[in-house]
């Protein structure tokens, strides 16, 4: 079965170890991981360089997956990635990753839905049309591994942008 090209959107500092677990599932083709040093170097080059990096890495992806940790909804680059994905007609979905264990910090609190931050002209929120999945707290990794391909296929088939 062919892997679907996806772009991961997440809060790097808090969730990079949890995101790596999702990448290791292997059923999808995600953007290559960026090391903490590379991310810090990129941020120091300025907002324009970060936007260019995001734009280039998102360009040929079919779906953008927002991996939602405790502070993801407040991150400006996640906001930019969601706006861009929507404007470019990419499929979008969210997966809560707070119950994946980080070797440094363990699990974390559940964060707010980042799609709640976007409102349509009629007052409805983007979260009303973008699915977010909250895996079992006991078997979060197994739940994500078993379902992520289906979640992606569903987001692609049902996208509304």
């Amino acid at each position: 079965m062919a892997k679907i090209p996806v772009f991961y959107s997440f809060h790097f500092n808090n969730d990079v170890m949890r995101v790596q677990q999702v990448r290791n599932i292997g059923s999808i083709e995600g953007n290559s991981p960026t090391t903490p040093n590379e991310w810090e170097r990129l941020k120091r080059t300025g907002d324009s360089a970060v936007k260019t990096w995001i734009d280039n890495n998102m360009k040929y992806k079919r779906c953008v997956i927002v991996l939602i940790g405790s502070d993801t909804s407040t991150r400006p680059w996640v906001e930019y990635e969601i706006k861009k994905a929507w404007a470019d007609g990419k499929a979008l979905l969210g997966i809560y990753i707070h119950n994946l264990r980080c070797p440094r910090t363990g699990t974390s609190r559940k964060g707010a839905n980042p799609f709640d931050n976007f409102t349509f002209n009629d007052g409805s929120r983007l979260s009303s049309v973008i699915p977010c999945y909250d895996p079992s707290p006991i078997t979060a990794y197994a739940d994500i591994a078993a379902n992520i391909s289906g979640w992606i296929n569903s987001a692609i088939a049902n996208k509304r942008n």
Side-chain angles (χ1 to χ4, degrees), residues 21-38:
Q21 292 176 55
V22 175
R23 282 190 167 111
N24 287 341
I25 290 170
S27 63
I28 51 180
E29 176 191 314
N31 49 308
S32 300
T34 301
T35 68
N37 288 341
E38 291 169 330

Side-chain angles (χ1 to χ4, degrees), residues 64-68 73 78 82-83 85-86 92-96 112-120 124-132:
V64 172
I65 302 173
V66 180
L67 297 170
I68 308 166
S73 69
V78 171
I82 291 170
K83 283 181 187 175
W86 184 261
L92 274 159
L93 69 104
I95 301 173
Y96 288 95
N113 185 329
F115 303 111
D116 280 342
N117 297 338
F118 301 90
T119 308
F120 294 113
S124 64
R125 295 181 187 268
L126 186 57
S127 58
S128 69
V129 296
I130 302 298
C132 282

Side-chain angles (χ1 to χ4, degrees), residues 6-10 28 63-67 91 93-95 148 152:
V6 301
F7 180 92
Y8 295 108
S9 177
F10 59 96
I28 51 180
C63 184
V64 172
I65 302 173
V66 180
L67 297 170
L93 69 104
I95 301 173
I148 194 166
I152 293 167

Side-chain angles (χ1 to χ4, degrees), residues 37-66:
N37 288 341
E38 291 169 330
W39 180 243
E40 288 305 317
R41 192 175 321 117
L42 178 62
K43 286 192 322 187
R44 281 193 303 272
T45 60
D47 289 356
S48 170
V50 175
K51 285 181 182 177
T52 299
W53 182 89
I54 292 168
D55 296 352
N56 288 338
N57 279 278
M58 194 184 286
K59 190 178 290 184
Y60 300 108
K61 306 303 184 197
R62 294 193 58 206
C63 184
V64 172
I65 302 173
V66 180

Side-chain angles (χ1 to χ4, degrees), residues 143-160:
D143 195 5
I144 294 169
N147 293 295
I148 194 166
S149 291
W151 293 338
I152 293 167
N153 287 329
S154 178
I156 291 170
N158 297 309
K159 66 184 184 134
R160 295 211 177 144

